[in-house]
Amino acid sequence: MHHFAVYDMDKTITYAPTWTSFLVRTAAVEAPWRLALLPVAAGATLGYVFGLLSRARLKEITHALLLGRAIPEATVARAAARFADRIVESGIYSGAITQIAEDRAAGNRIVMATASYGFYAAAIAERLGFEAVIATGVVREHGMIRAQIAGENCYGRAKLAMLEAWMAGQGIARGDAVVRFYSDHVSDEPSLEWADVAIAVNPHTQLRAMAWSRGWRVEDWPK
């Protein structure tokens, strides 16, 4: 049997969501003038709140505004490393660090499955010792990262589909695997249902109620 411990990232491992922080911190260093576009990005966020934009489209718009429609991969790699160092130093739950170590010691392969973009989530995962990252991808052309999602936004049912595809790509049948899945948010219900062991970590109200009703573990990790 293959054993996996799969972790969501934002607000499961990290204290807070990471995308806006990554955008703002990267723009401040690489193109400070783009910070003047933050009100436009806020307007796009309102469009999402009112159902005028999808999550995926909101990501693409805020990406284009704060990073540009095309940005060199080398610049993104530099920004991702800088951001990951900061997050790992002061933005990770100590409970997550402890649990990751326990899962690894128990023989689990440690996997991150996140809706965040892989181009920076992978840098965080690497520093935490993850073996694989399943995340939202971007279009890459001629050494540039485009403000365009490649494939699907790794969220909700799409995250589960991407997890299943990744496992199949490893040549592992679902029946030959034992999966633990950790998340803070109800959007991960499909993956939590699919897992052999579902753990709601620092869950918001809706997931906490769902976990109690379905007999899932609930853990509140300390900072």
Side-chain angles (χ1 to χ4, degrees):
M1 294 293 288
H2 301 267
H3 295 263
F4 297 94
V6 184
Y7 291 74
D8 175 47
M9 185 175 75
D10 284 11
K11 299 185 74 174
T12 299
I13 294 173
T14 66
Y15 300 164
T18 55
W19 176 231
T20 299
S21 179
F22 176 79
L23 286 174
V24 171
R25 293 184 183 282
T26 301
V29 173
E30 304 294 344
W33 66 269
R34 288 190 176 276
L35 296 177
L37 298 175
L38 279 171
V40 183
T45 301
L46 285 176
Y48 165 72
V49 170
F50 287 108
L52 302 176
L53 296 172
S54 67
R55 277 182 173 267
R57 186 60 185 138
L58 176 61
K59 279 185 179 179
E60 292 175 334
I61 290 171
T62 53
H63 182 161
L65 289 169
L66 275 299
L67 299 183
R69 294 188 180 277
I71 182 171
E73 291 194 33
T75 301
V76 172
R78 181 172 65 242
R82 187 169 57 234
F83 183 71
D85 286 342
R86 183 183 186 92
I87 291 294
V88 171
E89 179 182 359
S90 60
I92 303 292
Y93 283 110
S94 64
I97 299 295
T98 299
Q99 188 62 58
I100 290 167
E102 289 179 0
D103 281 335
R104 183 180 293 109
N108 293 283
R109 292 180 64 184
I110 311 300
V111 178
M112 179 182 287
T114 175
S116 296
Y117 279 118
F119 60 71
Y120 75 89
I124 297 171
E126 179 183 13
R127 285 156 176 75
L128 296 175
F130 279 78
E131 297 177 43
V133 178
I134 299 157
T136 302
V138 288
V139 173
R140 297 171 184 258
E141 295 176 338
H142 311 298
M144 305 291 284
I145 286 178
R146 304 286 178 181
Q148 181 181 349
I149 289 174
E152 293 191 80
N153 187 34
C154 187
Y155 183 83
R157 292 195 177 279
K159 181 182 287 189
L160 175 56
M162 292 168 74
L163 264 168
E164 291 176 321
W166 176 81
M167 190 176 290
Q170 299 287 304
I172 299 169
R174 180 64 182 89
D176 295 330
V178 177
V179 180
R180 302 163 61 84
F181 192 93
Y182 299 84
S183 178
D184 72 290
H185 198 268
V186 72
S187 64
D188 278 323
E189 177 188 5
S191 297
L192 289 161
E193 281 283 9
W194 171 82
D196 297 287
V197 180
I199 305 103
V201 178
N202 300 323
H204 67 155
T205 302
Q206 190 176 355
L207 179 57
R208 189 177 293 271
M210 180 181 290
W212 285 339
S213 69
R214 300 188 189 184
W216 298 342
R217 283 171 49 185
V218 176
E219 297 187 2
D220 291 293
W221 288 343
K223 291 186 176 182

